Amino acid sequence: MSDRDGNSEIYVIDPDGSNLVRLTNHGAWDDSPAWSPDGTRIAFQTDRDGNREIYVMDADGSNLNRLTNNPAWDSEPAWSPDGTRIAFHTDRDGNGEIYVMDADGTNLVNLTNNLAPDWGPAWSPDGTRIAFVSNRDGNDEIHVMDADGSNPVNLTNNPESDWYPAWSPDGTRIAFRSGPAINDEIYVMDADGSNQVNLTDNPFDDLYPAWSPGSHLR
C-alpha cells in the first residue's frame, strides 16, 4: 500500500526494490493487501463503493471482485492457509466481530459474538485456530479460538494494549505489538500465551511484526 500519488493504492514490487507496479487506480482508499497462499490473488479493503468492503483481485490487478456488500465496515482480510476461506473484521452487528467466508464471498459465518470489539484475525499455519484482538476484559488483549469460533482463550493479560498477532511459520509462537500508544514494542510468546518476551526496546513505536519463513522475526 502506498499513497505516493496522493491516494492510497495497492502496489507490488520485486524483493530487490525493482519493478514497481501499481495494481489499483481509484479515487477511493485501497489498503490492507493480503496475498492468497498460492500467490495468485490479493484480497484488500476499500471504500470505493462509499463503505469499507473486502475485494479480491488477481496478482496483476485484473479480475477485481467485491466479496462483501453491506452497510457496515468490513476490513482486515486474512486468508486461511489452504486459500479456501477469508477471515475479516466487520461492524455489521453493531459491534466489531470476526467473520469468515469462502474465498468467493459465500457462506458467511460469525465466529465471535461478544459485546466488546473483536478484530485483527490471524490464522495459525495449520488452519485450525485464529488469533485475534479483543477488549472484552476492558483492555486490548490477544485471544485465540478454534477456526469455527469455539474455545476462545485469552493469551495476554496486562495493563498495556496488545495488538496485531502474527504466528510463527511452525505455529509454536505468536509475535505481537504491545505497549502504550506512544511507545509500542514487539513481543513474542508461546502459542499458549506463556513465555512472553520483549524483543525491542527503543523510544519509537515498533508496529507490525512479521516472521520470515525460517521463523525469524522481521
Side-chain angles (χ1 to χ4, degrees):
M1 182 195 82
S2 174
D3 60 358
R4 62 188 63 203
D5 67 347
N7 186 60
S8 178
E9 303 287 358
I10 307 298
Y11 288 73
V12 68
I13 194 171
D14 287 350
D16 63 1
S18 63
N19 297 322
L20 179 69
V21 177
R22 179 174 175 170
L23 300 183
T24 62
N25 188 359
H26 196 278
W29 198 268
D30 300 328
D31 61 5
S32 297
W35 285 93
S36 64
D38 63 4
T40 63
R41 291 173 294 170
I42 299 172
F44 64 101
Q45 62 188 41
T46 179
D47 59 1
R48 61 183 61 200
D49 296 303
N51 184 59
R52 188 59 57 95
E53 303 284 0
I54 306 296
Y55 278 65
V56 68
M57 61 185 169
D58 288 350
D60 63 0
S62 64
N63 295 322
L64 184 69
N65 288 297
R66 178 175 177 169
L67 298 183
T68 63
N69 186 2
N70 74 85
W73 185 291
D74 296 327
S75 60
E76 301 176 332
W79 293 85
S80 64
D82 63 4
T84 63
R85 293 175 293 169
I86 297 175
F88 63 100
H89 166 265
T90 182
D91 293 324
R92 65 186 62 204
D93 294 322
N95 187 55
E97 302 286 357
I98 306 297
Y99 275 64
V100 67
M101 61 185 167
D102 289 349
D104 62 0
T106 61
N107 296 322
L108 190 69
V109 178
N110 183 354
L111 298 183
T112 60
N113 189 2
N114 193 276
L115 294 178
D118 301 319
W119 54 281
W123 292 84
S124 65
D126 63 4
T128 64
R129 292 173 293 171
I130 298 175
F132 63 101
V133 181
S134 179
N135 69 353
R136 57 187 67 188
D137 67 350
N139 188 55
D140 288 333
E141 305 285 0
I142 306 298
H143 292 244
V144 68
M145 61 184 168
D146 292 346
D148 63 0
S150 63
N151 300 318
V153 177
N154 184 352
L155 298 184
T156 63
N157 186 5
N158 71 78
E160 305 295 350
S161 294
D162 300 324
W163 302 326
Y164 300 106
W167 293 84
S168 64
D170 62 6
T172 64
R173 292 177 292 171
I174 297 173
F176 61 99
R177 166 183 167 184
S178 180
I182 59 172
N183 186 25
D184 288 335
E185 304 287 357
I186 302 302
Y187 283 69
V188 67
M189 62 184 169
D190 290 347
D192 63 0
S194 63
N195 298 320
Q196 295 182 19
V197 178
N198 183 356
L199 299 183
T200 62
D201 183 13
N202 70 79
F204 302 102
D205 281 341
D206 296 314
L207 301 181
Y208 308 112
W211 294 83
S212 72
S215 295
H216 299 291
L217 276 172
R218 292 184 175 178

